Amino acid sequence: MKVIKVKNYEELSVMAASIIGAQVINKPQCVLGLATGSTPIGTYEKLAEAYNNGILDFSEVKSINLDEYCGLSGDNNQSYRYFMNENLFNKVNIDKENTFVPDGTASDSEKECERYEALCASLGYADLQLLGIGHNGHIGFNEPDSAFAAVTHCVKLQESTINANSRLFEKKEDVPTSAFTMGIGTILKAKKILLVGGADKKDIIEKAIYGDVTPEVPASALQLHKDVTVIYVAE
Ligand code: PGA
């Protein structure tokens, strides 16, 4: 595991975008595993900047996203599909047909999970998976005590996650209570993983990467992967 400590959010964003950019340069047809949340916003801004400067070309890139709220359609501004369009896809030359997010409106959730996992498998999983982390150590929506072997599934969100995410909704009652998420097993299939966290995630990141490997801290599963880079703000 490669651990990079940075001074601030700007450095975190530049460094994460550089690693993702290098992936796109090295393999123009790569599959990027992407994440939502506050942390990657700066990274996506830097990637869009590099595209505008003619440094990056996303025309052959495919992407698979970690998760999506159940019940929200892609045009709902709280959906993760909407987030990805706004923060990255609309700003670069990626073909939206090549960008994949679980379908929050799917009526048969079991079938949607199977479809999404099969899709990820058919793409050979991510060449590089970007991950944020929750204060409880979750990655994607894999909350504490998730099985490390799990594939894409539908989860009931923990109260702490609903509370954390409610900042983005008008009222707490609007936060969906369940979501589709790649399982930890799906995430670990990525060839490379990049975990990023701001200053508020320092403690949980250090617990995840230096502590016991345990389902109580879902991100500790990353210790089992052979190619993980962690960038976090530690000052
Ligand atoms: P963030 O959280 O919004 O602080 O990036 C990421 C996460 O909870 O997975």
Side-chain angles (χ1 to χ4, degrees), residues 36-40 132-135 138-140 165 167-168 196 200-201:
T36 52
S38 314
T39 315
I133 184 170
H135 287 109
H138 73 205
I139 46 177
N165 291 359
R167 72 186 192 280
L168 305 166
V196 292
D200 62 318
K201 304 289 171 58

Side-chain angles (χ1 to χ4, degrees), residues 71-87:
L72 300 192
S73 70
D75 51 16
N76 183 309
N77 64 7
Q78 297 294 348
S79 73
Y80 286 170
R81 157 57 73 181
Y82 189 94
F83 174 101
M84 289 310 304
N85 288 348
E86 287 291 299
N87 287 287

Side-chain angles (χ1 to χ4, degrees), residues 29-228:
Q29 298 99 338
C30 66
V31 177
L32 295 179
L34 299 175
T36 52
S38 314
T39 315
I41 291 177
T43 304
Y44 294 150
E45 274 169 14
K46 303 289 173 199
L47 286 172
E49 230 170 84
Y51 164 71
N52 287 329
N53 292 334
I55 296 165
L56 294 179
D57 173 12
F58 291 82
S59 61
E60 294 177 278
V61 170
K62 295 189 173 68
S63 71
I64 48 179
N65 257 78
L66 283 172
D67 45 16
E68 178 62 285
Y69 285 121
C70 291
L72 300 192
S73 70
D75 51 16
N76 183 309
N77 64 7
Q78 297 294 348
S79 73
Y80 286 170
R81 157 57 73 181
Y82 189 94
F83 174 101
M84 289 310 304
N85 288 348
E86 287 291 299
N87 287 287
L88 184 66
F89 301 154
N90 291 342
K91 296 182 174 172
V92 299
N93 65 335
I94 197 164
D95 180 348
K96 286 237 188 77
E97 298 285 313
N98 289 334
T99 66
F100 304 100
V101 181
D103 176 6
T105 64
S107 53
D108 184 334
S109 56
E110 210 168 299
K111 217 159 138 199
E112 174 56 11
C113 293
E114 275 169 27
R115 183 197 71 83
Y116 197 71
E117 186 68 25
L119 172 80
C120 294
S122 73
L123 295 173
Y125 296 95
D127 287 293
L128 173 63
Q129 175 69 55
L130 175 65
L131 294 178
I133 184 170
H135 287 109
N136 61 3
H138 73 205
I139 46 177
F141 272 125
N142 294 283
E143 303 284 18
D145 294 325
S146 303
F148 283 179
V151 295
T152 303
H153 59 293
C154 186
V155 286
K156 214 176 142 4
L157 303 184
Q158 284 198 346
E159 199 58 29
S160 61
T161 300
I162 293 174
N163 286 335
N165 291 359
S166 64
R167 72 186 192 280
L168 305 166
F169 288 77
E170 226 166 83
K171 41 189 194 315
K172 191 177 153 193
E173 298 73 65
D174 292 342
V175 187
T177 53
S178 58
F180 293 118
T181 184
M182 282 185 191
I184 294 174
T186 320
I187 293 170
L188 293 177
K189 290 256 175 61
K191 294 177 188 74
K192 284 179 279 202
I193 295 177
L194 173 60
L195 174 71
V196 292
D200 62 318
K201 304 289 171 58
K202 177 177 181 284
D203 292 348
I204 186 65
I205 286 186
E206 291 179 346
K207 193 169 174 189
I209 63 180
Y210 300 124
D212 293 343
V213 175
T214 165
E216 281 168 35
V217 182
S220 68
L222 300 179
Q223 293 185 41
L224 305 173
H225 192 280
K226 63 180 186 338
D227 194 345
V228 178

